Amino acid sequence: MQGTAQTPPQPAAYTPTDRTVPTRSADRASYDRELVHSILDEAYVCHLGFVRDGAPVVLPTLYARVGERLYVHGSTGSRPLRAAGQADSGLPVCLTVTHVDGLVLARSAFHHSINYRSVVVHGVAHDVTDPEEKRQALDALVDHVVPGRAADSRPANRKELAATAVIRLDLDEVSAKLKSGGVNDEPEDLALPHWAGVVPVHTSYGTPIPDPGLAAGTELPDYLQGN
Amino acid sequence: MQGTAQTPPQPAAYTPTDRTVPTRSADRASYDRELVHSILDEAYVCHLGFVRDGAPVVLPTLYARVGERLYVHGSTGSRPLRAAGQADSGLPVCLTVTHVDGLVLARSAFHHSINYRSVVVHGVAHDVTDPEEKRQALDALVDHVVPGRAADSRPANRKELAATAVIRLDLDEVSAKLKSGGVNDEPEDLALPHWAGVVPVHTSYGTPIPDPGLAAGTELPDYLQGN
């Protein structure tokens, strides 16, 4: 549906800003929109930072992406969600997502590193008050963890919706940072007898463990097959 | 060596503070020292939050624990490490470590959740200026990722040490938060035909990929066997 009125074409990259241009390893930074989306879509837990009483707070939480917007949800009683809802101007946040892809073991301690892909989003989070946007965001949060799951579960009822706060964060001030590849030792270290190389790191899923009280005849759904 | 002058006995738990007592799900919080250590020791990437120009910043970075102290390192040019070194009073930070252990799929969208273990450390990070502490911290950072590796690599030289900044953060204001177990659906949802259960999540390591320029006869070390 590209090119329709509903989906205006987006620039291929986010515009760098002072705080999305790193002071070092600038060659590892990227503003490519598709790359940012792919990193965000592969994970479901982010680390959300905000300021409380002048000090930083970083909490792990689920998120989902819908187009150029991220959603985070939680109890209406949780501190950041309450803060976003109470402040007229929203809550300044930094939302970070990181994949670890490999351990890089160099011959020198100094050149040890991690292969990774991360996305850092700066912005202001706002409470989602529109009921339809909130419902879509909650579906997206479930589907972001297990695609296809939202349609195969009992939707939130009025009471549950009222107990859940959702905040949104637009993808505007965004950067990705990546490191991949092999060992980068100093030439004079290459003959050292230490093993060097990369240990790949993966996230894997075990065999699903059914709830003991499953209704009779309930089969493992297709979207969980292959785990 | 418990009970020696070098290792005074520690209370079994960290003392809760206003910011380490959650506003909700307080039953998931723990201040148990051994539990906090075990969560910290199982990971090596944390998300470090600090405040820059009044706004939160969250960056992924490696860390290591040595007793009741965490260390983070980076280029002397990186923003948080520079800030910790320049400020006489140190840099207020929040350091968070999260393990995802499982996806909990309930019959209701509302009761979907994640099984996880996390640790949140609040405190003030200080530049490590003592050369011996710095060297030990760098060894710990390498060994935290691959135990035994620091002794099997070329130690940092004077130039490399000078290019590396290390900051320390004492484990003082600390909490763990955990969720484990199975599905928690409403009684009236139990007969619904949706599959429910837990999908375990693991971090796994692939076969180590040797650097193409390994010195002849260099074998895969014992500490990487079994990957």
Side-chain angles (χ1 to χ4, degrees):
Chain A
M1 298 294 287
Q2 284 185 320
T4 68
Q6 288 72 35
T7 55
Q10 296 279 357
Y14 297 100
T15 304
T17 69
D18 177 53
R19 54 184 181 180
T20 64
V21 174
T23 49
R24 64 197 186 95
S25 305
D27 55 318
R28 293 183 189 161
S30 169
Y31 308 92
D32 182 82
R33 194 176 298 267
E34 278 190 33
L35 176 66
V36 164
H37 288 183
S38 75
I39 293 172
L40 290 172
D41 292 353
E42 194 181 318
Y44 40 82
V45 170
C46 67
H47 282 80
L48 181 72
F50 55 99
V51 179
R52 190 169 66 214
D53 300 333
V57 180
V58 178
L59 299 178
T61 190
L62 293 173
Y63 71 95
R65 180 180 75 85
V66 177
E68 293 298 326
R69 188 164 276 183
L70 299 183
Y71 292 102
V72 169
H73 76 324
S75 156
T76 49
S78 86
R79 280 167 167 154
L81 294 162
R82 231 169 37 191
Q86 285 172 350
D88 287 342
S89 50
L91 178 72
V93 297
C94 179
L95 187 155
T96 300
V97 171
T98 305
H99 300 276
V100 174
D101 294 325
L103 314 179
V104 183
L105 277 64
R107 297 161 185 83
S108 60
F110 183 76
H111 283 298
H112 278 64
S113 65
I114 298 280
N115 283 340
Y116 67 94
R117 291 164 294 144
S118 66
V119 163
V120 175
V121 183
H122 297 273
V124 177
H126 293 275
D127 196 28
V128 173
T129 53
D130 178 73
E132 189 48 35
E133 184 182 6
K134 186 170 171 181
R135 190 176 287 277
Q136 288 178 5
L138 292 173
D139 280 352
L141 280 153
V142 170
D143 278 338
H144 194 68
V145 179
V146 181
R149 180 66 186 178
D152 186 23
S153 57
R154 195 262 295 157
N157 58 34
R158 188 183 303 261
K159 183 181 157 198
E160 291 167 345
L161 282 174
T164 308
V166 176
I167 56 177
R168 66 166 193 269
L169 174 63
D170 287 337
L171 291 174
D172 183 26
E173 195 169 354
V174 185
S175 61
K177 207 166 171 193
L178 303 94
K179 185 178 176 304
S180 62
V183 177
N184 179 32
D185 263 317
E186 303 295 331
E188 61 268 30
D189 289 335
L190 294 179
L192 290 176
H194 308 299
W195 188 90
V198 177
V199 180
V201 180
H202 308 286
T203 298
S204 59
Y205 295 90
T207 305
I209 303 163
D211 182 61
L214 275 192
T218 305
E219 303 285 345
L220 189 70
D222 286 346
Y223 51 76
L224 293 179
Q225 301 285 351
N227 279 342
Chain B
M1 298 295 283
Q2 283 183 321
T4 69
Q6 285 74 35
T7 55
Q10 296 279 357
Y14 297 100
T15 305
T17 70
D18 177 54
R19 54 185 181 179
T20 64
V21 175
T23 49
R24 63 196 185 94
S25 304
D27 55 318
R28 294 183 190 160
S30 169
Y31 307 92
D32 183 81
R33 196 177 296 268
E34 278 190 32
L35 176 67
V36 164
H37 288 183
S38 75
I39 293 171
L40 290 172
D41 291 353
E42 192 181 320
Y44 40 81
V45 171
C46 67
H47 283 80
L48 182 72
F50 55 99
V51 179
R52 190 167 69 213
D53 300 334
V57 180
V58 178
L59 299 178
T61 189
L62 293 174
Y63 71 95
R65 180 180 74 86
V66 177
E68 293 298 325
R69 190 165 273 183
L70 298 182
Y71 292 103
V72 168
H73 76 324
S75 157
T76 49
S78 86
R79 280 167 168 155
L81 294 163
R82 232 168 39 193
Q86 285 172 351
D88 288 342
S89 51
L91 178 71
V93 298
C94 179
L95 187 154
T96 301
V97 171
T98 306
H99 301 275
V100 174
D101 294 325
L103 315 178
V104 182
L105 278 64
R107 296 160 185 84
S108 60
F110 183 76
H111 283 297
H112 277 65
S113 64
I114 298 281
N115 283 339
Y116 67 94
R117 290 164 294 145
S118 66
V119 164
V120 175
V121 183
H122 298 274
V124 177
H126 294 274
D127 197 27
V128 173
T129 53
D130 177 72
E132 189 50 35
E133 184 182 7
K134 185 170 172 180
R135 191 178 286 276
Q136 287 178 5
L138 292 173
D139 280 353
L141 279 153
V142 170
D143 278 338
H144 194 68
V145 180
V146 181
R149 180 65 186 178
D152 186 23
S153 56
R154 195 262 293 156
N157 58 34
R158 188 182 302 261
K159 183 180 158 198
E160 290 167 343
L161 283 175
T164 306
V166 176
I167 56 177
R168 68 167 193 269
L169 173 63
D170 287 338
L171 292 174
D172 182 28
E173 196 170 352
V174 185
S175 61
K177 207 167 171 193
L178 304 93
K179 188 182 174 299
S180 62
V183 176
N184 179 31
D185 262 317
E186 303 294 332
E188 61 267 30
D189 288 335
L190 293 178
L192 289 175
H194 308 300
W195 188 89
V198 176
V199 181
V201 180
H202 308 285
T203 298
S204 59
Y205 295 89
T207 305
I209 303 163
D211 183 60
L214 275 192
T218 304
E219 302 285 346
L220 189 69
D222 285 346
Y223 51 77
L224 292 179
Q225 301 286 352
N227 279 344

